[in-house]
């Protein structure tokens, strides 16, 4: 086997290791669970804020809402 083929084989094994084996060996599954929990808490807070804001709109008809880009 040539030196070039050895280097290419080493690179291919390294890419496969980084793409498949390393995320599982480093505990990324636990990180994904934590991120899902964080996102579900954020979504719940945003939905609660939206319902509160809708209640304020019913009370104050003249309230104008601005998006994040116009603040």
């Amino acid at each position: 086997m040539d030196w070039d083929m050895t280097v290419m084989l080493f690179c291919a094994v390294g890419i496969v290791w980084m793409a498949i084996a390393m995320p599982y060996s480093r505990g990324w599954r636990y990180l994904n669970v934590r991120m899902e929990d964080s996102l579900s808490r954020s979504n719940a807070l945003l939905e609660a804020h939206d319902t509160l804001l809708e209640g304020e709109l019913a009370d104050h008809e003249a309230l104008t809402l601005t998006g994040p880009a116009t603040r």
Side-chain angles (χ1 to χ4, degrees):
M1 188 183 291
D2 290 311
W3 176 251
D4 295 337
M5 291 295 288
T6 305
V7 170
M8 284 191 279
L9 178 65
F10 180 76
C11 290
V13 168
I15 289 171
V16 169
W17 173 259
M18 288 174 50
I20 296 171
M22 193 172 78
Y24 291 108
S25 67
R26 303 280 294 179
W28 286 9
R29 217 176 288 160
Y30 174 69
L31 180 63
N32 285 340
V33 170
R34 284 181 42 208
M35 289 300 294
E36 286 174 2
D37 290 342
S38 177
L39 286 173
S40 51
R41 281 193 308 257
S42 297
N43 283 339
L45 287 173
L46 287 172
E47 287 175 4
H49 182 3
D50 284 344
T51 55
L52 175 68
L53 192 58
E54 288 173 1
E56 288 178 2
L57 281 177
D59 295 339
H60 306 289
E61 292 290 331
L63 182 66
T64 58
L65 297 176
T66 59
T70 59
R71 288 185 187 166

